[in-house]
Amino acid sequence: MPMPVETLRQHLVDAFPDAEITIEDLAGDGDHYRARIVSGAFAGLSRVKQHQLVYAALKGQMGGELHALALETSAPQTAQGT
């Protein structure tokens, strides 16, 4: 069963309450999303570690209810180019 965008958003908001989050359903099927997350939680972390934090926030649903997630993550100052 696909993951509704509201469920995906809630997992991300719960894990990153300060974040600016943009989600796009890439295929219109609830299985393939792109998420852009800008959060202070990512400051000083490698891109791999940032993505690991996002996957942890999904509580094991990646690869199950959520088939594909293209991620763009950054800390606020990185997103602004400073």
Side-chain angles (χ1 to χ4, degrees), residues 1-2 23 29 34 51 53 74:
M1 183 168 130
I23 300 172
D29 60 4
R34 172 180 294 131
H51 289 198
L53 289 175
S74 64

Side-chain angles (χ1 to χ4, degrees), residues 4-46:
V5 68
E6 299 83 14
T7 302
L8 174 57
R9 181 175 303 282
Q10 193 58 55
H11 283 303
L12 296 174
V13 168
D14 289 348
F16 309 104
D18 72 322
E20 174 187 319
I21 300 170
T22 306
I23 300 172
E24 178 184 356
D25 188 341
L26 297 175
D29 60 4
D31 265 348
H32 301 81
Y33 292 105
R34 172 180 294 131
R36 182 173 190 270
I37 308 163
V38 180
S39 172
F42 300 141
L45 300 178
S46 70

Side-chain angles (χ1 to χ4, degrees), residues 56-81:
L58 298 175
K59 302 177 175 137
Q61 295 177 326
M62 188 68 216
E65 292 178 46
L66 182 58
H67 178 72
L69 180 62
L71 285 174
E72 295 177 33
T73 56
S74 64
Q77 62 273 23
T78 303
Q80 295 173 7

